[in-house]
Amino acid sequence: MAKKKKLPLAYQPVGFVLGWAGGALAGKAFRATWKAIRHEDDAPDALDADRRWGEILLAAAVQGAIFAVVRSAVDRAGATAIQRTTGVWPAQDKGGRD
């Protein structure tokens, strides 16, 4: 796994906005997915005493997968947009783009 690089200062505000928007999008996607899987409006959390282990772990796994995919897609789209507008990949090091 590659070491995470620090983004340039100019990209940080863009990254913040994209991260916030991505989190909101991922939350909506998770709620819709959970409703489709279990036909329930609310997913269980770890402290829900009325839910079984399996339900809680399934909800956590689905939520984690959705958030990871959305975050990666948003990060990649933001970096691509920055490269198109500035000509520089935002996480570029001396060796070039990874």
Side-chain angles (χ1 to χ4, degrees), residues 3-46:
K3 183 178 175 184
K4 188 172 182 178
K5 297 178 179 91
K6 185 175 169 109
L7 297 176
L9 187 60
Y11 182 73
Q12 288 179 354
V14 173
F16 175 77
V17 170
L18 289 174
W20 179 83
L25 178 64
K28 285 185 178 189
F30 171 65
R31 285 188 292 281
T33 302
W34 187 256
K35 189 166 186 151
I37 292 172
R38 300 289 297 189
H39 307 292
E40 300 172 347
D41 290 327
D42 296 321
D45 66 18

Side-chain angles (χ1 to χ4, degrees), residues 48-61:
D48 193 338
D50 298 327
R51 301 294 186 110
R52 295 190 233 211
W53 275 91
E55 292 176 284
I56 290 169
L57 296 179
L58 175 63

